[in-house]
């Protein structure tokens, strides 16, 4: 990560040297105390990824997780939104603003009815949906998602995936370091993120598509089969004549979000399940969704069927695991229960 940050710094320096010079002069004239704001204003956010965490309240991670516990909103989504809105400074962000303002942007309510009557249930918008509702352009939305993917790298006291490098920036061709667990990424080619052996030993996560163990596209940098652009593939594609086959929950958890392909998203019909200890799984390109938001599921429960919705070349399951907002290679977590010979 350090090598990549240095390269990014050099690249930014060449492109924005005039702004940097003005910022340096501001530091000299105004002193370090008041220059931070001037520096960020002049730079216009061009080096936000390199300056996160500087002077940030070290208690913010605990506050975000407390609000997540109270409101149910995924804390990396809230933190990424606040980071984007404050240009990485988290200025004036405290428990009150997070709970009463930021969290509420992600919450909506639906009316659910059965033979016994009707009631309200809480649902959650994605970060992308919140940004779209507020009128942000695609480049801003992509940047906010980039922040969300790397939020643990910059929030003091947030648990990190051991050895996880920063992921490629928005619009990256994959030239930067790969995400955690990607062979051939970062400064140490072939490096794989260490995983708690108890997670594997106890089968905390299992293979989500029992009908086949064939991987059609691994986690890591690839040429996208539809767009033909080189970029990091943030999941594991599993397929082998699998259209309509059952998809199961990889671990116990609660359905956090479901989305329909009707909104045009690249993942088509998808499900996101929240698990213990900061883990979250996502299941994409589904034909049918058999669970609803807020539903508790047990490991091995059938939650969907394999489809070809979204941006695909054929039927398959795209499977992701996140740890505290960072997308990591799923394979080491589920390899032990991978079906053999099919």
């Amino acid at each position: 990560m350090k090598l990549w940050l240095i390269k990014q710094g050099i690249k930014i320096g060449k492109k924005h040297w005039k702004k940097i010079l003005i910022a340096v002069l501001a530091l000299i004239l105004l002193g370090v105390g008041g220059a931070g704001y001037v520096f960020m204003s002049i730079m216009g956010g061009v080096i936000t990824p390199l300056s996160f965490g500087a002077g940030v309240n070290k208690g913010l991670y605990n506050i975000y997780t407390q609000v997540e516990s109270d409101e149910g909103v995924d804390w990396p989504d809230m933190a990424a939104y606040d980071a984007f809105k404050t240009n990485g400074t988290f200025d004036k962000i405290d428990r009150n603003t997070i709970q009463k303002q930021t969290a509420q942007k992600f919450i909506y309510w639906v009316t659910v009815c059965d033979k016994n009557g009707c009631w309200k249930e809480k649902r959650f918008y994605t970060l992308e949906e919140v940004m779209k509702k507020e009128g942000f352009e695609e480049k801003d939305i992509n940047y906010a998602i980039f922040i969300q993917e790397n939020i643990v790298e910059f929030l003091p006291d947030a648990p990190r995936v051991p050895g996880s490098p920063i992921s490629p920036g928005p619009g990256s061709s994959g030239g930067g370091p790969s995400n955690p667990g990607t062979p051939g990424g970062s400064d140490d080619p072939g490096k794989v993120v260490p995983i708690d052996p108890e997670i594997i030993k106890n089968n905390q996560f299992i293979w989500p598509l029992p009908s086949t163990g064939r991987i059609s596209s691994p986690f890591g940098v690839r040429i996208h089969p539809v767009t033909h652009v080189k970029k990091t593939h943030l999941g594991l594609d599993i397929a082998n004549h699998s259209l309509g086959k059952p998809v199961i929950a990889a671990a116990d958890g609660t359905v956090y979000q479901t989305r329909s392909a009707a909104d045009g998203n690249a993942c088509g019909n998808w499900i996101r399940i929240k698990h213990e200890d900061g883990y979250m799984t996502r299941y994409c390109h589904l034909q049918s969704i058999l669970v609803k938001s807020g539903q508790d599921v047990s490991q091995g429960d059938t939650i969907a069927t394999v489809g070809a919705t979204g941006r695909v070349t054929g039927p398959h399951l795209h499977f992701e695991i996140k740890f505290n907002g960072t997308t990591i290679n799923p394979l080491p977590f589920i390899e032990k229960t991978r079906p053999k010979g099919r």
Side-chain angles (χ1 to χ4, degrees):
M1 184 178 77
K2 290 180 180 178
L3 178 59
W4 183 75
L5 288 175
I6 292 171
K7 289 180 179 178
Q8 290 296 101
I10 293 172
K11 186 186 298 185
I12 289 169
K14 289 180 179 179
K15 185 177 180 180
H16 302 283
W17 67 270
K18 290 182 179 179
K19 291 182 178 180
I20 293 173
L21 178 60
I22 294 172
V24 170
L25 290 174
L27 286 171
I28 295 172
L29 294 173
L30 302 178
V32 176
Y37 174 79
V38 175
F39 180 79
M40 291 304 297
S41 299
I42 294 172
M43 292 303 292
V46 293
I47 62 168
T48 299
L50 306 182
S51 56
F52 269 11
V56 173
N57 178 359
K58 289 190 176 182
L60 274 181
Y61 165 72
N62 288 330
I63 294 174
Y64 278 114
T65 55
Q66 288 165 11
V67 173
E68 178 183 63
S69 178
D70 291 344
E71 304 290 346
V73 184
D74 192 36
W75 79 260
D77 283 352
M78 293 186 288
Y81 177 87
D82 287 339
F84 178 85
K85 295 286 283 189
T86 63
N87 220 4
T89 66
F90 293 93
D91 185 43
K92 297 181 180 178
I93 298 298
D94 55 22
R95 174 64 183 261
N96 187 60
T97 57
I98 294 171
Q99 185 140 18
K100 295 185 177 181
Q101 297 179 32
T102 306
Q104 302 312 310
K105 294 178 181 293
F106 290 87
I107 296 171
Y108 67 100
W109 296 85
V110 297
T111 300
V112 179
C113 300
D114 65 12
K115 62 181 182 181
N116 297 315
C118 298
W119 63 94
K120 296 283 188 180
E121 287 189 357
K122 184 183 287 188
R123 297 288 188 268
F124 304 102
Y125 291 115
T126 64
L127 177 61
E128 180 179 5
E129 288 172 328
V130 170
M131 301 282 291
K132 282 183 176 178
K133 283 178 58 183
E134 297 193 0
F136 286 100
E137 298 179 0
E138 184 176 358
K139 64 180 179 63
D140 294 323
I141 295 172
N142 289 338
Y143 190 61
I145 292 172
F146 164 66
I147 295 172
Q148 191 263 12
E149 279 285 331
N150 297 286
I151 197 68
V152 297
E153 299 286 344
F154 308 108
L155 260 187
D157 298 343
R160 299 175 63 251
V161 177
S164 60
I166 194 169
S167 67
S172 168
S173 63
S178 61
N179 272 298
T182 306
S186 79
D187 304 339
D188 182 11
K191 180 177 182 179
V192 177
V193 174
I195 298 172
D196 182 352
E198 290 299 311
I199 291 178
I200 298 174
K201 178 182 176 182
N202 299 329
N203 291 336
Q204 183 171 331
F205 293 90
I206 61 174
W207 195 264
L209 187 54
S211 63
T212 181
R214 177 179 175 270
I215 297 173
S216 57
S217 185
F219 182 99
V221 177
R222 68 170 185 176
I223 302 296
H224 194 283
V226 176
T227 63
H228 306 294
V229 174
K230 183 179 180 182
K231 63 185 300 184
T232 302
H233 181 222
L234 298 177
L236 196 67
D237 287 351
I238 309 170
N240 188 17
H241 306 293
S242 51
L243 182 65
K245 295 295 177 66
V247 175
I248 63 175
D252 296 347
T254 302
V255 178
Y256 180 65
Q257 292 165 326
T258 64
R259 283 294 177 272
S260 167
D263 65 9
N265 76 87
C267 273
N269 297 327
W270 58 260
I271 299 169
R272 183 171 283 149
I273 299 177
K274 185 177 289 188
H275 310 283
E276 293 182 346
D277 303 323
Y279 288 96
M280 188 175 284
T281 54
R282 185 162 73 145
Y283 312 76
C284 295
H285 309 306
L286 306 171
Q287 182 183 64
S288 59
I289 294 175
L290 306 178
V291 293
K292 63 179 183 178
S293 295
Q295 180 177 335
D296 291 332
V297 294
S298 298
Q299 186 181 70
D301 284 354
T302 298
I303 58 172
T305 57
V306 175
T309 56
R311 188 182 298 166
V312 297
T313 57
H316 71 278
L317 172 68
H318 172 90
F319 177 66
E320 298 176 356
I321 294 182
K322 282 191 174 187
F323 175 71
N324 279 339
T326 302
T327 308
I328 55 181
N329 186 0
L331 188 58
F333 290 84
I334 59 176
E335 173 74 24
K336 183 182 172 184
T337 56
R338 180 181 181 181
K340 308 299 180 185
R342 61 181 191 272

